[in-house]
Amino acid sequence: MSKRAVVVVDLQNEYLPGGKLALTGIDQAVANAARVIAHARETGDAVIHVRHEFPDPEVPFFNPGTPGVEIMDAVRPGSGEEVVTKNFPNSFLKTGLREMLDGGGVTDVTVVGAMSHMCIDATVRAASDLGYKVTVVHDACATLDLEFGGATVPAAQVHAAEMARSRSPMRRSRRPTTTRPADLRRRPASRRRRDVRQEPTWTRPISSRRSVRSSRS
């Protein structure tokens, strides 16, 4: 039985061009995420989709019942795949995600989706704190420009800073290693104690379907 799962975070229409919160580079990130999902399905790994909703009608996006909260067609859930609805950046907070993973005996989690600096960050850190071994496919994630002090911070810098910040030895007891996509397929899923924090791994870019077929990412 597979001990791995791909968690697809918030790849919803709201983030597409024409949505209320379009992200920079979202099309390529979604294409890469679709490859990761396809490979997981081929190898029998679990795929769990997470979608965000804001129940507060005053929030102008991710409103329940609107097209924006629907999962993108390119990564639409397959038959039998679980869908989790969340209301917070952390995909584990007040959801059944942990129960789904633990119920399937999952120890290794691969994360793709959006946004890099928000829900990906929160979900990865929570998964790590809960003891899962976490891998983030960084080119299957996307974000947007931010502003601070009257200056615009481009999305590429936001994304890069988030990945670099998460890898910093100042933020973790040990620095995570960077793996190639090919290494992910060769690496067996490992059993991890739930009371020991596991450090996330960040993969290099996925460039083609072929690279994914030769990997666990």
Side-chain angles (χ1 to χ4, degrees), residues 18-178:
K20 295 179 181 177
L21 207 60
L23 303 186
T24 299
I26 187 62
D27 290 336
Q28 187 59 58
V30 171
N32 287 336
R35 296 185 181 105
V36 174
I37 294 167
H39 177 71
R41 290 167 177 165
E42 290 173 2
T43 56
D45 294 340
V47 179
I48 299 176
H49 303 261
V50 180
R51 59 193 294 274
H52 194 89
E53 288 187 356
F54 280 118
D56 184 354
E58 297 299 317
V59 178
F61 36 72
F62 288 106
N63 305 121
T66 64
V69 298
E70 297 302 320
I71 294 174
M72 299 173 188
D73 288 340
V75 292
R76 185 174 296 279
S79 176
E81 293 177 354
E82 299 279 4
V83 178
V84 175
T85 298
K86 67 179 179 65
N87 305 127
F88 303 92
N90 175 1
S91 297
F92 291 90
L93 182 58
K94 297 185 179 180
T95 72
L97 179 57
R98 185 181 187 182
E99 288 72 21
M100 291 177 189
L101 294 173
D102 289 352
V106 171
T107 56
D108 291 28
V109 175
T110 297
V111 179
V112 301
M115 295 189 285
S116 306
H117 74 286
M118 183 66 70
C119 296
I120 296 300
D121 176 59
T123 297
V124 166
R125 294 183 187 282
S128 180
D129 286 343
L130 290 171
Y132 300 102
K133 185 169 184 180
V134 186
T135 298
V136 177
V137 185
H138 69 78
D139 66 341
C141 301
T143 190
L144 40 58
D145 295 352
L146 297 180
E147 293 186 5
F148 180 75
T152 297
V153 184
Q157 293 183 20
V158 175
H159 180 82
E162 179 57 42
M163 301 303 160
R165 181 170 66 91
S166 297
R167 286 173 56 89
S168 171
M170 297 296 291
R171 296 299 299 271
R172 294 191 166 83
S173 58
R174 64 180 176 86
R175 185 173 182 144
T177 57
T178 301

